[in-house]
């Protein structure tokens, strides 16, 4: 079984049954990055040691859940890639710019706080057009990301690194940001699922702004169920973010099957 090809829900089921470990899954993704990313160039930063440490902690939590039972967080032990527009405490965040080449945030964006609380494993930060100003990921100040389906073509942008990482199975899921199509367009270029949430549904706190009256964080995933799962984790009111909407978060996965809220 090629673990790096799994969706979130497939990996979650195997982790829940104890058939794989988060360390196994994380190592498989890191090995895939080592094998493929020199050509795709989806990542600006990979944090392998940190990811494996997080995976070990996730496996300990899984063992406890299997012992006592109960609902398990849907992203516990699942590797993820984060667009470099989103602040990550202790991990370099450049927004694709040399100006921020040495910037290491002292805090997490709200979406990262939520993903950490859900047990997601940060693999690394993905390439993008500088400050999200572009639609091809050719405008990063570091290098151009390639479309994994055809390395002569672009993956779209500005969240092209996240889209390429998902399409190349260099992560199980990713986050991007969308101002005028920067999640949806690269998703269409790479045959992945990209979702721009309604403005205010997901907090922008800790996201380096392009146009703050339009920016939104959204998931890039391998299927629709995974997109619903990630949205359910990152959505919700944030008192630190003035445009965040104070409304309940529905069960998006249940609603895929037409079930009522």
């Amino acid at each position: 079984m090629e673990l790096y090809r799994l969706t979130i829900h497939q990996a979650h089921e195997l982790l829940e049954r104890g058939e794989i470990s988060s360390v196994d899954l994380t190592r498989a993704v890191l090995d895939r990055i080592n094998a493929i990313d020199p050509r795709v160039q989806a990542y600006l930063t990979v944090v392998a040691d940190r990811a494996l440490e997080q995976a070990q902690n996730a496996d300990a939590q899984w063992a406890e859940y299997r012992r006592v039972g109960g609902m398990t967080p849907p992203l516990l032990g699942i590797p993820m890639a984060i667009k470099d527009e989103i602040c990550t405490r202790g991990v370099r965040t450049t927004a694709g710019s040399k100006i921020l080449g040495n910037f290491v945030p002292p805090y997490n964006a709200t979406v990262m706080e939520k993903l950490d609380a859900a047990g997601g494993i940060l693999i690394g930060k993905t390439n993008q057009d500088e400050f999200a100003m572009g639609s091809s990921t050719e405008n990063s100040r570091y290098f151009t990301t390639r479309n994994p389906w055809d390395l002569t073509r672009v993956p779209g942008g500005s969240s092209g690194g996240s889209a390429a990482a998902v399409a190349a199975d260099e992560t199980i899921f990713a986050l991007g940001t969308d101002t005028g199509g920067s999640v949806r367009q690269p998703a269409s270029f790479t045959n992945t699922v990209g979702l721009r949430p309604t403005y205010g549904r997901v907090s922008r706190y800790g996201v380096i702004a392009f146009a703050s009256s339009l920016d939104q964080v959204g998931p890039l995933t391998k299927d629709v169920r995974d997109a619903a799962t990630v949205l359910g984790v990152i959505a919700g009111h944030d008192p630190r973010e003035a445009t965040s909407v104070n409304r309940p978060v529905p069960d998006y996965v249940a609603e895929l099957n037409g079930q009522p809220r």
Side-chain angles (χ1 to χ4, degrees):
M1 181 190 303
E2 295 174 325
L3 298 183
Y4 55 79
R5 296 194 186 279
L6 296 173
T7 63
I8 293 171
H9 53 90
Q10 289 169 339
H12 183 269
E13 290 168 5
L14 294 172
L15 288 164
E16 196 168 43
R17 295 197 297 265
E19 295 180 20
I20 64 171
S21 70
S22 178
V23 169
D24 293 336
L25 182 59
T26 301
R27 281 186 175 145
V29 170
L30 290 169
D31 288 346
R32 178 69 170 176
I33 292 169
N34 289 334
I36 299 297
D37 205 57
R39 286 173 284 164
V40 176
Q41 296 191 291
Y43 283 90
L44 285 168
T45 303
V46 175
V47 287
D49 291 343
R50 171 181 167 138
L52 289 169
E53 182 179 349
Q54 286 185 315
Q56 290 173 345
N57 292 336
D59 284 334
Q61 293 179 61
W62 272 115
E64 184 66 12
Y65 276 115
R66 286 191 290 269
R67 186 181 70 83
V68 303
M71 293 292 292
T72 54
L75 300 181
L76 180 60
I78 305 294
M80 59 187 180
I82 304 298
K83 185 179 181 179
D84 218 27
E85 198 88 358
I86 297 168
C87 286
T88 43
R89 183 175 59 243
V91 178
R92 187 177 72 137
T93 300
T94 73
S97 176
K98 292 290 181 74
I99 296 171
L100 297 178
N102 297 316
F103 175 52
V104 178
Y107 66 97
N108 274 327
T110 296
V111 290
M112 278 306 303
E113 290 181 351
K114 289 174 176 284
L115 291 171
D116 280 348
I121 308 299
L122 177 62
I123 292 290
K125 306 297 292 294
T126 54
N127 197 25
Q128 61 170 88
D129 293 296
E130 185 175 19
F131 292 114
M133 297 180 188
S135 56
S136 64
T137 319
E138 294 173 292
N139 300 305
S140 167
R141 291 306 119 204
Y142 295 92
F143 44 75
T144 296
T145 297
R146 307 294 179 182
N147 192 316
W149 297 103
D150 181 347
L151 297 176
T152 68
R153 298 177 186 272
V154 300
S158 62
S159 304
S162 288
V166 174
D169 293 313
E170 295 183 53
T171 185
I172 305 302
F173 75 94
L175 288 190
T177 62
D178 190 312
T179 302
S182 288
V183 164
R184 294 162 290 171
Q185 183 247 35
S188 70
F189 278 29
T190 58
N191 195 34
T192 55
V193 176
L195 174 67
R196 173 196 168 88
T198 301
Y199 189 77
R201 178 80 282 188
V202 176
S203 173
R204 294 181 294 105
Y205 178 80
V207 178
I208 297 169
F210 174 13
S212 60
S213 61
L214 294 170
D215 300 342
Q216 274 293 277
V217 179
L220 285 143
T221 61
K222 298 178 182 182
D223 66 15
V224 172
R225 180 174 172 183
D226 281 5
T229 298
V230 177
L231 180 60
V233 171
I234 64 174
H237 180 243
D238 181 3
R240 295 172 297 185
E241 207 268 88
T243 63
S244 175
V245 175
N246 191 4
R247 297 185 63 182
V249 177
D251 185 340
Y252 296 111
V253 175
E255 293 194 353
L256 293 178
N257 300 317
Q259 299 178 23
R261 298 186 182 183

